[in-house]
Amino acid sequence: MQKNLVIVESPAKAKTLEKFLGKDYKVMSSYGHIRDLKAKEMSVNLDDFSPEYEIPSDKESVVKSLRNEAKKADTVWLASDEDREGEAISWHLCQVLGMDPKAAKRIVFHEITKSAILQAIEKPRTIDMGLVNAQQARRVLDRIVGFKISPVLWKKLKPSLSAGRVQSVAVRLIVEREKEIENFKSESTYRVSAVFLADGQPVKASLAHGFRTEEEAEAFLASCKDKEFTITDIDKKPVKKSPAPPFTTSTLQQEAARKLGFTVSQTMMVAQHLYESGHITYMRTDSVNLSSLCLNTTKEEIVKLHGAKYSRPRQFHTSSKGAQEAHEAIRPTYISEQEISGNSQEKRLYDLIWKRTVACQMADAEAEKTTITISSDDVNFTATGEVITFDGFLRVYRESYDDDVQADEVEGLLPPVKKGEKLQMQEMVATQRFTQHPMRYTEASLVKKLEELGIGRPSTYAPTISTIQQRDYVEKGDKKGEERSYEVLKLSNGKIKKSVKKEVVGKEKGKLLPTDVGTVVNDFLIQAFPDIVDYNFTANVEKDFDEIADGKENWQQMMRDFYAKLEPMVDATLQEKNEHKVGERYLGEEPGTGKPVCVKIGRFGPMVQIGVADESEKPRFAQLNKGQSIATITLEEALELFKLPRTLGEYEGGEVTVGTGRFGPYVLHCKKYVSLPKDMDPLTITLEDAIKLIEERRKGEAAAHLKAFDEDPEMEVMNGRFGPYLKYKGTNYKLPKSIKEPTNLTYEECMAFVEKADKTPTETKPAARRGRKSAKA
């Protein structure tokens, strides 16, 4: 008999725990959720909103193993993660293993250390049904939204679309920001700066206000030609800069994006590895609290590394809306470990967490800020300078910002000057500046906005951002920017010179851009289901989940109230007759035929249509090219798309044509298709270019087919991106690494691999923790 069985979520966590627990403990992994709602059914009873769970086929072997080991153990310890998802996993384990949730031994720990684990075992608790019900409420509500609204999108727009409570709101933010940018009217202002000389040393100063027109700016410069400027005021004051709080999930995602260039999902994946390896505390949290142990050990480390004057212990308090789930910020498990072993990403993210944690317990940085007022009559210029007198926490860490400008950037020293001192004006410049449109969202700034609005929670930010990109509602892309001219007026030696300079504006990298599909779906949802994509509604739903978690609200009653509002909206939208398809835009008529030309979302994405469906002659269709948009394409650009297919010539006795289809532009030769690379234009590609593509495709296909068998033409040894494998009757089979020469395999050996693989159940992998919808990574 095994005395103790400990069940955790991931194999990596299990390995770390085994290091601390003795031979009396066996640690196993559930690989995320072991039960879930059925994938292709709503699986929610709409009478009482009770969920219908099943054990997915790929989890049956895991459950079987857990049942067998649980029967052998004297005590089963449920050690899934400490948030709502983790609590639900423990509850599902109780249901599947035949355990009473009221008597189950539930243990949680915020860090994977021996002391934390042993302490948890000494003080087990039972399953917290408030947390379980909050998770069930989220899962059921999101399932209802998806299964009720998605079919409406299929009917009104196109098949395979989907709606989601949080994802649709995230898309709305991105679409509305894009519309703000499209409607933005830039205004110019002439900003004036000057360089004065104080005992031969330059003092750079600026005018507080600008001028709307060139004439006003020029008149001002002209009025300053003969003015004498004097220092009328010198203000010196000490300023302090305080460190940022320790990391929460949201701030870690933002800072890792800005400093390390990580995507939000990449940050969470790396942080999960660090947590499961015992290097950092739990990575899904919106708390900035630090334990007393952390405060004490961090103080010791700071004193050791930098001296007592750099230490200033402080506790931070959480201010985000509806903060819940975990009770401590993300911090190193052992602050004395300044470096860890691991891959490059893990080392870099750990270094960021370590520095932020240490910095938040260090003394404020101190500086002296000097403001000099330089005046002549009623004209006042201001020069500012700042010098750090004590670096404090800046010795370790400086926070970055979304606009890539340091808010506390040091402005440098000013030369020594006295009040009443006269200065010589060396030059004065009026530069034309334009107001900038709002910045598009990055992954990090979108997370920040969602958190500000109280939408989503630490466990949902990364999967939400991944989902809206996977579903082609949003894409991450760059904007090239446009060249713009601006005017410069320069007063020097009593003369004003005018010049025109050029600059590139609007250049952006790695920004979230709405696709045509995302924009049309968003506009439709706002019209048909305004409450579902309302920011306040979505935030209030999160508050309801928090109330359920605290045992203050009944989750099934919440579902009833929600469904009573949703069902009438769905029915009304389905019954509504539309003269035009949602998102359709009329461009004009085709010259010669007079047939209407419109652009809309088709079965395979944005497309142009010439003609109408009820005519005897079928309409013609063309896919939009990359970079073209339903909102901006012109009639002329749309008609250009119908110049395809083009015949390029003959090759090996067969015609070579270029066209465009559901997967983009292609070359067609002897009934074989070759996709065009993104940098090739189907309207300008030559026959020679097409032949090169055909030959490259042939070489690639030849290299992929390693061996065929006369015994059975359906058996083949193939070479893929991950190495050699078997292909048999449409199914791929992995070959063991021990096979060094796959071309030497006999037909009998190949069949043996196939038969063995068919008998072996699919190996499951840990979930990528969206809400652990399934066990597949």
Side-chain angles (χ1 to χ4, degrees):
M1 284 288 287
Q2 176 69 49
K3 286 186 179 179
N4 296 280
L5 173 65
V6 181
I7 304 175
V8 295
E9 287 185 39
S10 75
K13 193 173 178 180
K15 285 180 183 176
T16 309
L17 255 67
E18 281 175 342
K19 295 176 188 174
F20 302 125
L21 299 171
K23 60 180 178 14
D24 291 338
Y25 290 83
K26 183 181 179 86
V27 186
M28 292 183 71
S29 168
S30 71
Y31 293 87
H33 270 293
I34 48 141
R35 289 201 310 176
D36 197 9
L37 301 176
K38 295 174 184 176
K40 295 184 179 178
E41 299 174 27
M42 185 183 285
S43 299
V44 176
N45 185 332
L46 294 177
D47 293 329
D48 62 358
F49 298 95
S50 57
E52 298 167 7
Y53 294 112
E54 68 169 2
I55 299 170
S57 57
D58 61 350
K59 280 306 183 78
E60 287 172 359
S61 59
V62 174
V63 171
K64 185 178 178 182
S65 299
L66 290 172
R67 278 175 175 156
N68 290 338
E69 293 300 327
K71 286 175 186 175
K72 298 177 193 173
D74 292 342
T75 307
V76 177
W77 304 86
L78 303 174
S80 51
D81 291 347
E82 64 174 317
D83 58 8
R84 294 173 189 172
E85 288 291 336
E87 204 69 22
I89 287 172
S90 285
W91 178 76
H92 281 293
L93 284 167
C94 286
Q95 305 299 308
V96 167
L97 302 180
M99 298 165 60
D100 181 0
K102 294 177 182 177
K105 291 191 180 294
R106 171 81 170 110
I107 56 172
V108 294
F109 32 84
H110 186 65
E111 59 188 33
I112 303 179
T113 61
K114 187 170 184 177
S115 59
I117 294 160
L118 295 177
Q119 191 175 5
I121 287 173
E122 284 174 17
K123 297 178 180 178
R125 59 172 175 79
T126 56
I127 301 292
D128 185 332
M129 287 308 298
L131 294 177
V132 173
N133 289 335
Q135 189 275 343
Q136 289 196 102
R138 179 188 290 278
R139 192 78 184 90
V140 168
L141 189 144
D142 288 349
R143 176 57 68 97
I144 290 172
V145 168
F147 267 71
K148 283 293 180 179
I149 297 182
S150 296
V152 178
L153 295 175
W154 304 341
K155 184 176 179 181
K156 299 288 182 178
L157 286 166
K158 81 181 190 89
S160 78
L161 293 175
S162 67
R165 183 180 55 84
V166 177
Q167 77 172 49
S168 297
V169 174
V171 172
R172 180 180 178 181
L173 282 167
I174 293 163
V175 171
E176 289 188 345
R177 177 58 56 87
E178 198 67 24
K179 288 179 178 176
E180 279 181 61
I181 293 168
E182 288 170 6
N183 297 328
F184 182 78
K185 298 283 189 290
S186 184
E187 295 179 356
S188 74
T189 306
Y190 287 80
R191 307 294 300 174
V192 180
S193 62
V195 177
F196 299 95
L197 294 178
D199 198 20
Q201 295 186 61
V203 179
K204 293 179 182 179
S206 59
L207 196 66
H209 63 87
F211 299 96
R212 295 297 299 274
T213 66
E214 179 189 348
E215 291 75 21
E216 290 176 7
E218 187 174 0
F220 175 78
L221 293 187
S223 71
C224 292
K225 279 182 184 178
D226 302 318
K227 287 186 183 292
E228 284 191 345
F229 288 89
T230 307
I231 294 176
T232 54
D233 190 34
I234 300 174
D235 180 35
K236 289 187 179 183
K237 60 181 179 183
V239 291
K240 287 190 176 183
K241 303 173 192 294
S242 298
F247 282 131
T248 60
T249 303
S250 163
T251 54
L252 177 65
Q253 289 168 351
Q254 292 169 53
E255 197 73 337
R258 292 184 291 241
K259 276 191 159 64
L260 308 179
F262 285 8
T263 64
V264 167
S265 57
Q266 184 183 9
T267 298
M268 293 313 292
M269 181 185 70
V270 177
Q272 180 114 17
H273 291 161
L274 291 173
Y275 167 65
E276 290 175 349
S277 302
H279 294 308
I280 63 169
T281 52
Y282 192 54
M283 65 287 153
R284 291 185 186 92
T285 174
D286 43 22
S287 170
V288 289
N289 181 48
L290 292 173
S291 67
S292 56
L293 176 64
C294 173
L295 296 179
N296 294 333
T297 54
T298 304
K299 179 181 178 180
E300 291 173 11
E301 192 70 12
I302 292 166
V303 172
K304 184 176 80 175
L305 293 173
H306 306 291
K309 68 176 180 178
Y310 278 91
S311 171
R312 188 197 155 183
R314 50 165 80 76
Q315 189 62 273
F316 294 86
H317 299 286
T318 303
S319 60
S320 63
K321 290 185 182 180
Q324 50 86 25
E325 303 223 24
H327 60 264
E328 197 173 359
I330 302 169
R331 61 165 175 82
T333 311
Y334 303 103
I335 205 75
S336 57
E337 285 187 1
Q338 196 165 340
E339 294 180 356
I340 59 158
S341 58
N343 63 34
S344 170
Q345 292 181 347
E346 289 167 356
K347 287 180 177 179
R348 291 173 71 204
L349 190 65
Y350 179 83
D351 181 64
L352 194 68
I353 294 167
W354 188 90
K355 285 178 177 175
R356 176 87 162 214
T357 308
V358 169
C360 82
Q361 297 302 304
M362 291 179 71
D364 292 344
E366 296 173 10
E368 184 179 74
K369 186 167 186 176
T370 303
T371 305
I372 299 174
T373 305
I374 303 167
S375 307
S376 178
D377 301 329
D378 58 346
V379 176
N380 295 311
F381 280 83
T382 304
T384 58
E386 186 176 284
V387 60
I388 298 291
T389 55
F390 176 61
D391 55 1
F393 73 92
L394 293 176
R395 175 174 281 207
V396 172
Y397 184 84
R398 188 188 292 265
E399 190 177 15
S400 55
Y401 297 86
D402 286 326
D403 57 5
D404 299 323
V405 176
Q406 295 288 0
D408 57 357
E409 193 161 4
V410 176
E411 295 174 88
L413 287 168
L414 290 168
V417 290
K418 297 175 185 175
K419 192 172 178 180
E421 184 178 343
K422 293 192 184 308
L423 300 182
Q424 178 191 345
M425 190 262 288
Q426 187 179 38
E427 65 177 33
M428 192 176 292
V429 180
T431 307
Q432 187 181 20
R433 284 285 165 247
F434 296 86
T435 51
Q436 295 294 317
H437 64 65
M439 298 288 285
R440 290 179 174 89
Y441 288 108
T442 60
E443 287 192 359
S445 62
L446 182 61
V447 166
K448 185 178 182 182
K449 186 66 177 178
L450 290 170
E451 186 179 41
E452 284 174 3
L453 293 171
I455 295 168
R457 289 295 181 261
S459 59
T460 63
Y461 300 135
T464 296
I465 288 171
S466 297
T467 298
I468 61 177
Q469 292 178 70
Q470 289 163 5
R471 291 184 174 162
D472 200 31
Y473 293 157
V474 170
E475 61 185 8
K476 195 188 293 185
D478 303 337
K479 287 287 182 181
K480 289 182 180 178
E482 298 174 352
E483 192 173 74
R484 179 173 65 194
S485 299
Y486 66 97
E487 294 181 332
V488 178
L489 308 177
K490 186 175 180 180
L491 169 62
S492 181
N493 298 322
K495 294 179 181 178
I496 297 174
K497 289 184 180 178
K498 298 181 185 179
S499 61
V500 176
K501 296 187 177 182
K502 294 185 182 295
E503 62 182 350
V504 175
V505 295
K507 187 176 181 179
E508 295 181 277
K509 275 195 166 187
K511 296 300 176 75
L512 297 176
L513 311 169
T515 62
D516 277 341
V517 174
T519 301
V520 171
V521 168
N522 174 73
D523 292 350
F524 174 72
L525 290 176
I526 288 175
Q527 179 189 337
F529 302 98
D531 285 351
I532 303 301
V533 289
D534 178 74
Y535 299 133
N536 289 329
F537 165 79
T538 312
N540 287 333
V541 167
E542 297 290 354
K543 290 178 184 174
D544 287 334
F545 293 152
D546 295 341
E547 293 286 298
I548 292 165
D550 292 338
K552 296 174 183 176
E553 188 174 338
N554 181 283
W555 76 270
Q556 285 162 308
Q557 184 58 50
M558 179 202 167
M559 292 300 113
R560 286 189 197 95
D561 296 341
F562 170 77
Y563 192 69
K565 294 177 185 175
L566 177 68
E567 186 70 359
M569 285 191 280
V570 172
D571 292 341
T573 307
L574 285 172
Q575 290 167 18
E576 196 176 76
K577 301 285 185 194
N578 298 100
E579 186 178 340
H580 294 288
K581 194 168 184 182
V582 174
E584 187 174 319
R585 179 172 161 246
Y586 176 73
L587 299 180
E589 293 182 351
E590 182 185 28
T593 67
K595 290 184 176 181
V597 181
C598 67
V599 61
K600 61 184 179 181
I601 300 295
R603 185 178 181 85
F604 303 111
M607 53 176 258
V608 179
Q609 176 179 315
I610 298 179
V612 292
D614 56 0
E615 292 181 351
S616 56
E617 189 180 343
K618 288 184 177 179
R620 288 175 289 147
F621 303 98
Q623 299 293 121
L624 266 64
N625 288 329
K626 190 168 180 66
Q628 291 181 322
S629 165
I630 283 179
T632 58
I633 192 171
T634 63
L635 176 63
E636 292 71 24
E637 289 168 339
L639 293 172
E640 281 285 315
L641 298 172
F642 287 88
K643 290 183 177 178
L644 298 174
R646 291 169 56 222
T647 300
L648 302 180
E650 284 195 3
Y651 178 57
E652 295 180 345
E655 191 176 68
V656 180
T657 59
V658 60
T660 185
R662 57 182 290 193
F663 301 115
Y666 61 81
V667 168
L668 175 62
H669 176 251
C670 296
K671 296 184 180 180
K672 290 206 170 185
Y673 294 86
V674 184
S675 294
L676 254 66
K678 290 180 180 178
D679 58 352
M680 278 194 179
D681 186 343
L683 294 173
T684 59
I685 185 175
T686 63
L687 177 62
E688 290 72 23
D689 290 334
I691 291 171
K692 284 181 184 176
L693 293 175
I694 292 165
E695 289 297 337
E696 286 171 8
R697 171 72 182 267
R698 287 177 180 175
K699 287 178 185 175
E701 286 182 345
H705 297 265
L706 296 180
K707 186 174 183 179
F709 297 90
D710 295 334
E711 297 93 326
D712 189 342
E714 289 194 90
M715 174 69 78
E716 202 169 1
V717 181
M718 304 288 290
N719 190 29
R721 57 186 295 198
F722 300 114
Y725 64 94
L726 298 179
K727 186 174 184 179
Y728 184 61
K729 292 186 176 181
T731 303
N732 297 339
Y733 297 86
K734 190 177 178 181
L735 283 171
K737 290 181 181 178
S738 57
I739 304 296
K740 302 299 181 187
E741 294 293 339
T743 52
N744 292 339
L745 288 170
T746 64
Y747 175 72
E748 289 73 19
E749 287 172 329
C750 291
M751 279 306 302
F753 285 129
V754 169
E755 288 167 4
K756 183 180 179 183
D758 286 342
K759 291 176 185 176
T760 307
T762 305
E763 185 181 344
T764 53
K765 296 179 181 179
R769 203 60 200 254
R770 168 200 140 266
R772 301 184 187 78
K773 183 180 175 185
S774 74
K776 293 179 182 177

